[in-house]
Amino acid sequence: MSEQVSGAVRHPLTGVATALASAAAFATSGAFGKSLLVGGWSPGAVVTMRIALAAGVLLGPALWSLRGRWGALRRNGWLVVGYGLTGVAGCQLAYFNAVTHLSVGVALLLEYLAPVLIVGWLWARHRQRPRRLTTIGVALAVAGLLLVLDVLDGGSVSAVGVMWGLGAAVCLVLYFLLADHVGDDLPPLALAGGGLLVGALSLGLAGWVGVLRMTRGAQQVPLGGVVVPWWVPVLVIALVAAAFAYVAGIAAVRLLGAKVASFVALTEVLFAVLFAWLVLAELPTLVQLFGGVLIVAGLVAVRADEARQPEPQGSEQILARPVPTP
């Protein structure tokens, strides 16, 4: 433990750079994945390809991290399965369904409401009344949500897309709640690799039995003003936005700690808007951008309130964990 702390003190810039690299890598998924959706590929097919490839890449490192400690995997088996079904398969499937109806930035902002939902759950379930700063953060996030959805001006935002985006947020909440109960004896790489494997198998089974639509689209898809083979965006969302992003995120947590790394992870929203603009020429309206700023400010307030307290115990650890994104 002391070795990790001293490493974080000696190399804070390395930790921040690693966390930013992870956030930027995660942010590529929306823009590059949407190019496949525009080309006629179904969300189920896109997510399954992404997760399956990432699982194959991380399988070796995950097994190496266990080094024969199969007991830790058995003790946390159901939690790994739950993480794979919700935090990996469910969250990504809901997110990619959302971006078929909404802009990449708006869909991601809806998913990022998960910490706000967790505050409500802790209040309702454990009677943990939010402190003043957390309450302010929730109010800012809700106000930002109204602007993002363009409710005040009577704008037309796809209700189906909003439901999928909120579904991604609920899956992210379930991830947090499950991850809070995973034992410390299970290495993070094993959790990530195991979750990706479970997610890939569950989506593949759902597609095989016909529950999940697996539509193959065009061989050539539009990307950044040019037309490229379909496998180009697939490799980006699988290798960059999944395998590399997860590993870099884990390294960032080790260098900075979960609280600081989770703050830096919020920059994913900014990176996602940037990539959507560069790759898809897609940019939210000024009102939606301002709403996004309010949502991020609200999340920062919630995280800052948690960080002011001593090392969290029990259910308070939930909000201190880094956000795993699509």
Side-chain angles (χ1 to χ4, degrees):
M1 180 68 179
S2 60
E3 191 175 325
Q4 290 178 356
V5 173
S6 61
V9 172
R10 285 198 303 267
H11 305 290
L13 293 180
T14 301
V16 171
T18 304
L20 287 172
S22 175
F26 272 126
T28 61
S29 66
F32 285 83
K34 191 163 185 175
S35 68
L36 290 165
L37 301 176
V38 171
W41 293 76
S42 67
V46 173
V47 173
T48 302
M49 288 189 297
R50 179 194 182 191
I51 294 177
L53 281 174
V57 171
L58 287 185
L59 181 60
L63 293 175
W64 177 84
S65 70
L66 281 170
R67 296 202 264 300
R69 291 176 290 173
W70 305 113
L73 188 60
R74 283 195 300 271
R75 285 189 294 274
N76 295 280
W78 285 111
L79 294 173
V80 174
V81 171
Y83 165 75
L85 294 177
T86 59
V88 176
C91 190
Q92 294 186 29
L93 185 61
Y95 173 73
F96 277 107
N97 272 293
V99 298
T100 61
H101 303 280
L102 303 170
S103 69
V104 169
V106 170
L108 189 59
L109 285 169
L110 288 172
E111 183 187 345
Y112 259 75
L113 289 173
V116 175
L117 298 180
I118 291 174
V119 171
W121 183 85
L122 291 176
W123 192 358
R125 179 69 175 82
H126 295 286
R127 302 292 184 230
Q128 292 185 11
R129 187 183 181 89
R131 295 180 293 270
R132 180 178 299 177
L133 187 56
T134 294
T135 303
I136 293 174
V138 171
L140 286 173
V142 172
L145 176 62
L146 294 177
L147 294 178
V148 165
L149 299 182
D150 211 8
V151 172
L152 301 181
D153 291 335
S156 57
V157 175
S158 169
V160 174
V162 172
M163 293 304 295
W164 278 115
L166 293 176
V170 171
C171 286
L172 195 53
V173 169
L174 293 174
Y175 157 78
F176 278 119
L177 299 178
L178 289 169
D180 187 49
H181 291 84
V182 173
D184 293 335
D185 56 340
L186 185 67
L189 265 176
L191 175 61
L196 285 167
L197 182 60
V198 169
L201 292 176
S202 61
L203 289 172
L205 179 61
W208 182 63
V209 300
V211 175
L212 185 63
R213 188 166 64 93
M214 296 284 193
T215 303
R216 185 184 178 90
Q219 298 296 309
Q220 306 283 326
V221 296
L223 186 66
V226 298
V227 177
V228 299
W230 63 271
W231 50 263
V232 172
V234 168
L235 289 179
V236 172
I237 63 176
L239 301 183
V240 176
F244 170 78
Y246 274 109
V247 173
I250 291 169
V253 172
R254 294 293 172 87
L255 288 167
L256 297 175
K259 288 180 180 177
V260 177
S262 66
F263 275 101
V264 182
L266 293 175
T267 59
E268 183 191 347
V269 177
L270 305 178
F271 283 120
V273 172
L274 175 62
F275 286 128
W277 176 47
L278 294 175
V279 176
L280 304 172
E282 181 181 275
L283 194 65
T285 65
L286 289 177
V287 172
Q288 289 178 317
L289 286 173
F290 181 65
V293 171
L294 290 182
I295 290 177
V296 173
L299 296 178
V300 169
V302 171
R303 298 282 178 86
D305 200 16
E306 291 297 317
R308 288 168 55 192
Q309 302 300 311
E311 281 300 313
Q313 299 293 327
S315 59
E316 290 183 359
Q317 290 179 325
I318 297 173
L319 289 174
R321 292 183 179 272
V323 178
T325 45

